[in-house]
Amino acid sequence: PIFPSSHNSGSSARGHLSIPRMVQESRPSWDNPMQFVLACVSYAVGLGNVWRFPYLCQMHGGGGFLIPYLIMLLVEGVPLFYMELAVGQQMRQGSIGAWTAISPYLTGVGIASVVVSLFLCVYYNVINAWAFWYLFHSFQETLPWAECPVNGNRTAFVSECEKSSPTQYFWYRETLNITSSINDTGGIQMGQALCLLLAWLVVFLCIIRGTKSTGKVVYVTSIFPYFVLIIYLIRGVTLHGAVNGLKYMFTPKLTELANPKAWVNAATQIFFSLGLGFGSLIAFASFNQPNNNFEKQAIIVSLINSGTSVFASIVTFSIYGFKATFNYEACIDRMILLLMNSFDLAEGSVTTENLSDWVTRLNATYPEQFALISPQMEFCDLESELDTAVEGTGLAFIVYSEAIKNMEVSQLWSVLYFTMLLMLGIGSMLGNVAAIITPLRDWQLLSRHLQQETLAGLVCLLCFIIGLGFTSRSGNYWFAIFNDYAVTLSLLFIVLIEILSVCYIYGLKRFEKDISVMIGHLPHWYWRVTWSIVSPLLIVGLLIFYMIDYITGGTPTYQAWDELQGRTVKKEYPPYAQAFIGILVIASMICVPLVALVTFFKRKIQQQSLFHSVMLCKT
Amino acid sequence: MIQYLPIFKKMLQKYPGRNRERQNALVTETGDSPGMAKGMITGARGDTHDGYKVRLSIKTALGKDAYQWNEDEKFLFRATIAFAMRAYTKDESYNVSSVLICNETQRVSFWIQVKRPNTAIPVQQDLLEKAIISSRNRINSAFLLSDKTLEFVGITSTLPSPIEPSYPVWLVVFGVVIGIVTLGIIAIIVSGVLAKKRKIKEIEDGDELEKEDNIVENGIYCGVLEIKEGVNNGAFAHEDDSLTKL
């Protein structure tokens, strides 16, 4: 039985009539529209806003990237977001039921959404597990990633740590205990497995009561990250060297706009940042009151999401600037020391300003001695420090923890930062899990036999067990596979089918009428144009681009950690991994045509048997 | 932004290297730290078996409170080395005169050599190394320096092992958090089960009346429907019965 959100035991009349239970029990709903908005914000604002957007900004010409980003937001993001909310609120069912209601042949779209959400759930929570791990390790005198551990006889630091850096060592060795290639599986890391268990328990706790529990949790998960971001903003811009990072980011290099990759990345980022196509938005909207004004809410949530991206990138770039300046100045200090020690120059004679003069002078005067130390000379460049492409979960853990360890009271900053990551991650997980559970719950077969809590528990358990694979020593390589391939292509395909079916199978006019019944007025012609023409064309363009990219890209490669060298090396995926990638990509997309075919045949059989029985009647 | 000869991008190897450096007597540049004896006559040449090169970084360590390196400081240094030898070998005949300083530079680096007392034979390298290591702390503190700022090139200092708590701290925090979460889950499940039991009891106690909380038909709660015994549906009510009844 479904627990309703409010108990209205007003009927005191004792029964003379017992009305049979033929009506549907009412659907649970949000306590107020604010909960729905915050749930959407909590879902949409996730780790990608904090990590991926600043990286894209950095790659595509700083402030100039905002232009394609905002254009794509207006043309692609908001209309598609609006459409998904409309479908969910109208059909009042999870993704499978909603798309079945639009057309029975489209059940496959809903199923594909559920499959994609399942993939996402399985690997996304591993990030929360890592955040927990780092959070718990922040409660120490010195942060464990601040210093290298010493080797057995205390003569030097552990060589792997020496060659790379303490933060990288902590990530690759002490957290992941990573193997050197995807072929060596290694055992399951206990610490990671425990943290993953905790992450799933927390998610379970938040969804156990459906909208009742989720609605309360999203107040925290959506608002807390902003507090931390503001605190970090204040701290960040006051750090020494932050200005360098900010200048680097905001100096627009408009020439980058000519690069088509910038536009593709902007479109993709908007797409995935808003979480379209997973079915989470449909699930959340299905719990709305029928007359909820989702048009306004769609615009608000999309703007908040993009605003947060820009805000987070300001914070991120001030931290990058601080880290880059710190490293640059450390590099300069090392060079000064090197020169002073090799040529026995007085302390204070070589400074940052005259370093280059000294180098030229010494090279001219003592060429042989200079040649001896030239292997140790480094090129200290602030630009190249800022340029270090930072992307992906592991690198982001490394870079931020590196910056944090150099701040005062680093434990406090570390705790704040990783708690914020947790809030963002859990908030997104709520949406991901809702996308799976809501359609399953609507499926009469299951909801008759299983209670809501049991269903939620089973889903969490299943995802946890599959997710244990990511806690093995080579787990991070499999994580990268999921991260890069599991959702990207499939999602574009799913959303394309969605928008085309809404516009052309369900009918744009019919859709508009439904919307006008819900919010009181017909949608503006702008939405009509974007839904029917612009967005589908854009998505088709993106799909073609990605296909070409996959085909011409050659064998997919990954970054493997080499512990002897202390850095990552590029390796090709073995054949079985490539086959797995193929399965991942196809598995969700194939649901659409497959289920359409099954429905077609089922209907044909039904029609035939109906025809036969009619014929029998006639005779 | 400082740009200078981009030579190699290799990371700096850890200093100091293990091999003893061969140093010729360097004639220093125009020195600008007063009180420092310049261009020492080539005394003991830095041979591979003769003592150690010492390097001090006083300004780095002390900043504004840096003292000048002069003859008195040199004397103190020789005395501390002699002390180290005495303390290690328990031989009281070591004296300041046993310790030689040569090849001083403006870096403030020089070579030391220790001779056996009352002889010209240098002391064994290992003996000297062990003696220095054992009294390293005392030598450092005599000059308000540390292992990094008072370097004996060739003698690697033992790194202080990081303070490791006796138990893994993270497990404690983890245990607390997972305990709270598990309690929360159990509490919610138990309260749900109890509420259901209560509901079933109420239904059994009550009549055949079904608890239709919140069941809505045509926008009207069923419970209300029962009380009112029907609701006027305006679509079918004809107020204007002007038409004839057939």
Side-chain angles (χ1 to χ4, degrees):
Chain A
I2 303 167
F3 285 82
S5 64
S6 57
H7 290 271
N8 187 7
S9 36
S11 56
S12 52
R14 291 283 139 180
H16 34 268
L17 264 182
S18 56
I19 298 174
R21 268 186 198 278
M22 272 172 25
V23 302
Q24 269 280 349
E25 279 191 7
S26 72
R27 196 173 178 73
S29 65
W30 304 106
D31 289 341
N32 53 59
M34 184 55 124
Q35 282 189 357
F36 169 63
V37 173
L38 289 181
C40 288
V41 168
S42 183
Y43 169 64
V45 173
L47 302 171
N49 300 65
V50 172
W51 292 339
R52 181 130 175 101
F53 181 78
Y55 165 73
L56 288 176
C57 254
Q58 184 184 26
M59 271 229 306
H60 294 295
F65 183 70
L66 285 174
I67 297 178
Y69 185 74
L70 286 175
I71 291 180
M72 289 299 166
L73 175 69
L74 289 173
V75 155
E76 177 203 6
V78 185
L80 289 173
F81 195 81
Y82 186 167
M83 178 206 69
E84 285 220 3
L85 291 189
V87 170
Q89 191 168 309
Q90 166 72 18
M91 304 302 174
R92 294 175 66 77
Q93 294 191 72
S95 56
I96 299 184
W99 294 108
T100 313
I102 290 202
S103 157
Y105 293 105
L106 291 177
T107 314
V109 176
I111 297 183
S113 286
V114 172
V115 172
V116 165
S117 290
L118 187 68
F119 290 157
L120 185 69
C121 275
V122 164
Y123 85 81
Y124 199 84
N125 222 10
V126 180
I127 307 177
N128 289 332
W130 294 332
F132 269 122
W133 170 269
Y134 269 79
L135 176 65
F136 296 149
H137 277 84
S138 310
F139 290 98
Q140 286 180 21
E141 182 72 45
T142 40
L143 295 173
W145 54 86
E147 291 168 343
C148 277
V150 290
N151 63 12
N153 49 5
R154 293 175 57 188
T155 49
F157 295 122
V158 172
S159 71
E160 187 182 355
C161 188
E162 282 265 37
K163 298 224 174 77
S164 53
S165 73
T167 41
Q168 281 182 308
Y169 178 79
F170 183 75
W171 170 248
Y172 285 110
R173 190 53 49 212
E174 298 198 17
T175 307
L176 300 174
N177 199 6
I178 205 166
T179 54
S180 53
S181 87
I182 200 171
N183 296 314
D184 312 321
T185 317
I188 289 190
Q189 291 299 102
M190 257 304 102
Q192 296 305 301
L194 286 176
C195 287
L196 186 64
L197 174 67
L198 177 62
W200 275 112
L201 283 177
V202 170
V203 169
F204 180 53
L205 178 66
C206 295
I207 58 164
I208 196 171
R209 279 292 164 81
T211 52
K212 240 178 95 170
S213 51
T214 308
K216 308 270 185 333
V217 171
V218 291
Y219 282 112
V220 177
T221 58
S222 55
I223 298 190
F224 181 80
Y226 288 100
F227 276 132
V228 178
L229 278 176
I230 292 178
I231 297 176
Y232 256 92
L233 179 71
I234 299 175
R235 174 78 268 228
V237 296
T238 52
L239 283 172
H240 166 65
V243 180
N244 294 330
L246 288 173
K247 256 197 305 200
Y248 182 81
M249 180 197 154
F250 282 113
T251 337
K253 300 178 197 67
L254 289 171
T255 48
E256 268 292 328
L257 291 187
N259 181 4
K261 265 220 137 185
W263 294 86
V264 169
N265 278 336
T268 318
Q269 173 61 12
I270 287 281
F271 203 87
F272 294 122
S273 180
L274 286 173
L276 305 165
F278 287 101
S280 312
L281 296 171
I282 296 182
F284 280 158
S286 69
F287 299 118
N288 277 340
Q289 299 297 330
N291 57 352
N292 179 47
N293 185 355
F294 58 90
E295 183 181 51
K296 214 169 44 160
Q297 292 166 343
I299 300 177
I300 291 177
V301 173
S302 314
L303 286 178
I304 291 181
N305 181 48
S306 299
T308 311
S309 290
V310 178
F311 182 43
S313 59
I314 297 179
V315 176
T316 304
F317 270 92
S318 28
I319 306 243
Y320 280 178
F322 163 69
K323 176 186 98 74
T325 311
F326 187 87
N327 286 345
Y328 167 70
E329 291 181 349
C331 175
I332 296 277
D333 285 340
R334 275 198 304 272
M335 289 301 99
I336 292 179
L337 193 66
L338 175 63
L339 288 182
M340 281 199 321
N341 285 353
S342 322
F343 295 97
D344 288 320
L345 308 165
E347 278 184 288
S349 56
V350 189
T351 61
T352 323
E353 290 81 32
N354 56 26
L355 182 57
S356 36
D357 301 329
W358 269 106
V359 171
T360 34
R361 209 184 332 166
L362 289 170
N363 196 17
T365 350
Y366 304 100
E368 325 87 37
Q369 267 172 313
F370 201 82
L372 275 177
I373 61 164
S374 52
Q376 293 156 358
M377 294 286 282
E378 288 170 59
F379 180 44
C380 298
D381 182 18
L382 191 57
E383 275 263 357
S384 63
E385 287 284 342
L386 285 168
D387 263 341
T388 43
V390 185
E391 201 221 354
T393 51
L395 278 171
F397 271 105
I398 295 171
V399 167
Y400 260 93
S401 48
E402 194 174 321
I404 289 173
K405 79 168 195 238
N406 295 323
M407 295 189 202
E408 322 279 310
V409 200
S410 41
Q411 292 86 357
L412 172 68
W413 298 108
S414 182
V415 168
L416 269 181
Y417 174 68
F418 290 111
T419 314
M420 177 187 79
L421 284 193
L422 270 176
M423 294 291 122
L424 292 172
I426 302 264
S428 300
M429 277 305 290
L430 297 180
N432 295 336
V433 181
I436 301 179
I437 292 186
T438 312
L440 285 183
R441 233 192 43 189
D442 293 338
W443 189 15
Q444 298 296 340
L445 192 68
L446 273 183
S447 63
R448 251 195 301 228
H449 299 292
L450 284 177
Q451 289 194 30
Q452 177 183 13
E453 288 95 341
T454 326
L455 180 62
L458 281 177
V459 171
C460 289
L461 184 66
L462 175 72
C463 291
F464 167 63
I465 292 178
I466 303 179
L468 276 179
F470 297 114
T471 58
S472 68
R473 290 187 60 191
S474 60
N476 197 36
Y477 300 130
W478 291 101
F479 177 87
I481 289 185
F482 271 79
N483 195 23
D484 291 334
Y485 298 105
V487 304
T488 35
L489 203 62
S490 337
L491 220 51
L492 289 172
F493 180 71
I494 290 174
V495 176
L496 180 66
I497 305 279
E498 284 186 3
I499 187 84
L500 287 178
S501 46
V502 163
C503 287
Y504 301 110
I505 298 184
Y506 189 71
L508 196 54
K509 283 233 161 9
R510 204 166 138 202
F511 187 57
E512 287 181 330
K513 215 166 65 113
D514 292 339
I515 293 180
S516 70
V517 167
M518 285 194 281
I519 61 174
H521 61 267
L522 279 174
H524 196 258
W525 61 260
Y526 174 76
W527 305 116
R528 253 181 282 153
V529 172
T530 44
W531 285 332
S532 48
I533 304 174
V534 184
S535 298
L537 280 177
L538 254 170
I539 300 178
V540 169
L542 281 179
L543 266 174
I544 295 178
F545 177 85
Y546 273 106
M547 301 279 217
I548 297 180
D549 209 40
Y550 279 151
I551 297 173
T552 60
T555 329
T557 58
Y558 67 103
Q559 297 285 350
W561 176 253
D562 184 340
E563 70 178 292
L564 298 171
Q565 292 186 50
R567 59 186 191 87
T568 49
V569 292
K570 217 182 237 196
K571 285 201 181 149
E572 278 186 1
Y573 279 120
Y576 67 86
Q578 292 183 39
F580 185 75
I581 293 177
I583 294 177
L584 262 186
V585 174
I586 303 286
S588 47
M589 296 203 287
I590 202 116
C591 294
V592 180
L594 210 62
V595 175
L597 270 177
V598 167
T599 319
F600 177 70
F601 281 122
K602 259 203 328 202
R603 280 198 150 186
K604 244 186 148 195
I605 294 174
Q606 265 181 357
Q607 271 181 352
Q608 280 186 346
S609 63
L610 197 66
F611 184 68
H612 278 195
S613 53
V614 167
M615 294 307 289
L616 280 172
C617 281
K618 277 195 169 171
T619 52
Chain B
M1 215 168 300
I2 299 228
Q3 313 264 339
Y4 60 94
L5 300 171
I7 318 226
F8 290 96
K9 276 193 183 179
K10 287 230 185 87
M11 288 303 293
L12 182 65
Q13 299 299 318
K14 192 95 174 101
Y15 255 109
R18 299 238 175 216
N19 39 318
R20 319 272 190 256
E21 296 164 333
R22 287 183 182 271
Q23 280 272 315
N24 302 317
L26 245 186
V27 178
T28 55
E29 310 269 357
T30 47
D32 41 23
S33 67
M36 168 71 198
K38 282 190 292 190
M40 281 287 290
I41 41 169
T42 53
R45 296 203 60 159
D47 235 37
T48 43
H49 299 292
D50 251 11
Y52 283 97
K53 178 170 183 180
V54 182
R55 192 184 288 139
L56 290 99
S57 312
I58 309 173
K59 288 211 186 102
T60 317
L62 301 170
K64 279 192 310 223
D65 304 326
Y67 47 81
Q68 294 291 1
W69 186 256
N70 51 25
E71 293 296 328
D72 307 327
E73 304 287 345
K74 270 164 57 182
F75 182 81
L76 179 58
F77 194 84
R78 290 161 68 202
T80 46
I81 298 294
F83 159 76
M85 292 302 299
R86 278 198 191 194
Y88 187 73
T89 59
K90 309 272 188 285
D91 184 355
E92 297 214 343
S93 46
Y94 280 101
N95 215 327
V96 179
S97 49
S98 324
V99 185
L100 286 179
I101 285 187
C102 49
N103 280 13
E104 293 171 62
T105 67
Q106 277 198 323
R107 173 68 179 81
V108 191
S109 68
F110 44 82
W111 278 82
I112 54 164
Q113 202 183 52
V114 180
K115 302 221 186 306
R116 293 232 194 93
N118 305 322
T119 60
I121 309 169
V123 148
Q124 284 291 348
Q125 200 74 336
D126 331 312
L127 184 64
L128 182 54
E129 178 171 353
K130 291 199 184 97
I132 292 177
I133 289 178
S134 71
S135 308
R136 191 65 187 266
N137 260 352
R138 300 296 299 274
I139 304 175
N140 285 349
S141 43
F143 292 92
L144 310 172
L145 298 171
S146 69
D147 274 3
K148 264 188 72 182
T149 39
L150 174 57
E151 293 170 75
F152 288 87
V153 177
I155 300 181
T156 49
S157 52
T158 51
L159 301 159
S161 59
I163 316 157
E164 276 179 28
S166 49
Y167 56 90
V169 180
W170 79 272
L171 267 180
V172 174
V173 190
F174 169 80
V176 168
V177 175
I178 204 171
I180 296 177
V181 171
T182 319
L183 281 176
I185 292 177
I186 294 178
I188 291 186
I189 293 182
V190 166
S191 73
V193 169
L194 284 179
K196 218 168 54 129
K197 282 214 176 99
R198 219 183 308 129
K199 222 178 167 210
I200 293 176
K201 240 172 75 93
E202 275 180 23
I203 290 178
E204 283 171 359
D205 288 349
D207 295 336
E208 315 92 351
L209 180 76
E210 292 159 295
K211 286 285 176 197
E212 284 144 5
D213 307 318
N214 245 5
I215 295 182
V216 180
E217 186 165 18
N218 275 342
I220 308 166
Y221 285 119
C222 286
V224 173
L225 203 61
E226 288 188 85
I227 299 170
K228 283 175 136 188
E229 289 179 354
V231 171
N232 239 348
N233 190 337
F236 294 105
H238 290 284
E239 277 155 6
D240 197 23
D241 273 335
S242 57
L243 296 175
T244 54
K245 307 177 186 51
L246 259 166

